[in-house]
């Protein structure tokens, strides 16, 4: 007989949707990284346009490729696991306010899981391969996980606005009778 917590997890549609999106996003990220590695090798470059190319770069830093000292790897793992736990703990309550949150949080979590798996899988780091030349001297290189993270974060903007409005409205509704009595 399944435990109560497991049945709540499996039975809740918002959690199922979140987990499905996160799993699909992580799988898509890991698959595209593998394809990039096999297709580009260690140093291959495929130019697609004047500003876009496929270029394999191994990211050993934190978000954005910035190293944060000798504990960068451990910090990445700990912060990502804690963030995933936090997101999992709020999915149901946020989805009750705004159903778009399951998509947004699923994309962010899937991207985080994909990059976490890459960090943990080996010493080379996270494979970034989508190179966008921003200026003559600046090229940004990302991967599909990063696209999911950024896309999910963008979808979270209207979700956050909805959640804040709901909290303000509920706070106002609770305070209204007290104000009316004082008048």
């Amino acid at each position: 007989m399944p435990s109560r917590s497991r049945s709540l997890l499996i039975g809740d549609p918002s959690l199922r949707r979140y987990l499905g999106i996160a799993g699909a996003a992580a799988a898509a990220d890991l698959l595209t990284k593998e394809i990039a590695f096999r297709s580009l090798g260690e140093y291959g470059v495929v130019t697609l346009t004047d500003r876009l190319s496929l270029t394999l770069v191994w990211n050993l830093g934190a978000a954005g490729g910035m190293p944060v000292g000798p504990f960068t790897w451990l910090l990445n793992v700990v912060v990502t696991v804690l963030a995933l736990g936090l997101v999992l703990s709020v999915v149901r309550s946020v989805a009750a306010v705004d159903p778009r949150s399951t998509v947004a949080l699923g994309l962010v979590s899937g991207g985080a899981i994909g990059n976490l798996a890459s960090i943990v899988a080996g010493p080379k780091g996270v494979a970034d391969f989508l190179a966008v030349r921003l200026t003559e001297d600046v090229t940004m290189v990302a991967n599909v996980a990063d696209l999911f993270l950024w896309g999910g974060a963008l979808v979270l903007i209207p979700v956050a606005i909805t959640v804040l409005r709901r909290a303000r409205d509920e706070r106002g509704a609770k305070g209204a009778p007290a104000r009316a009595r004082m008048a």
Side-chain angles (χ1 to χ4, degrees):
M1 188 173 241
S3 71
R4 176 160 166 68
S5 61
R6 183 169 180 217
S7 64
L8 284 174
L9 180 68
I10 294 170
D12 185 279
S14 60
L15 281 174
R16 279 198 320 264
R17 186 172 182 209
Y18 159 77
L19 292 171
I21 292 167
D29 171 61
L30 294 170
L31 178 63
T32 57
K33 286 174 182 168
E34 182 65 23
I35 291 169
F37 177 71
R38 289 177 186 249
S39 301
L40 297 170
E42 286 293 320
Y43 304 105
V45 175
V46 175
T47 302
L48 302 173
T49 69
D50 184 41
R51 295 202 178 265
L52 181 64
S53 64
L54 302 176
T55 306
L56 189 60
V57 175
W58 295 100
N59 179 355
L60 295 171
M66 303 303 271
V68 289
F71 298 106
T72 301
W73 184 90
L74 180 61
L75 184 63
N76 280 333
V77 171
V78 169
V79 168
T80 302
V81 168
L82 289 174
L84 288 168
L86 176 64
V87 169
L88 185 60
S89 73
V90 301
V91 168
R92 287 177 44 207
S93 57
V94 177
V97 176
D98 191 332
R100 294 175 293 186
S101 65
T102 56
V103 173
L105 294 172
L107 290 173
V108 169
S109 296
I113 291 166
N115 279 341
L116 177 63
S118 297
I119 291 168
V120 172
K124 287 190 176 190
V126 176
D128 289 338
F129 57 92
L130 302 169
V132 179
R133 189 168 56 90
L134 302 174
T135 68
E136 286 297 320
D137 300 325
V138 178
T139 299
M140 178 187 73
V141 186
N143 58 42
V144 172
D146 299 329
L147 299 179
F148 288 140
L149 284 161
W150 299 332
L154 286 173
V155 176
L156 276 175
I157 293 170
V159 170
I161 291 168
T162 301
V163 169
L164 290 171
R165 283 183 181 155
R166 174 76 60 90
R168 181 193 66 207
D169 293 347
E170 287 178 6
R171 195 173 45 242
K174 288 179 183 177
R179 281 190 223 119
R181 283 189 301 241
M182 296 174 84

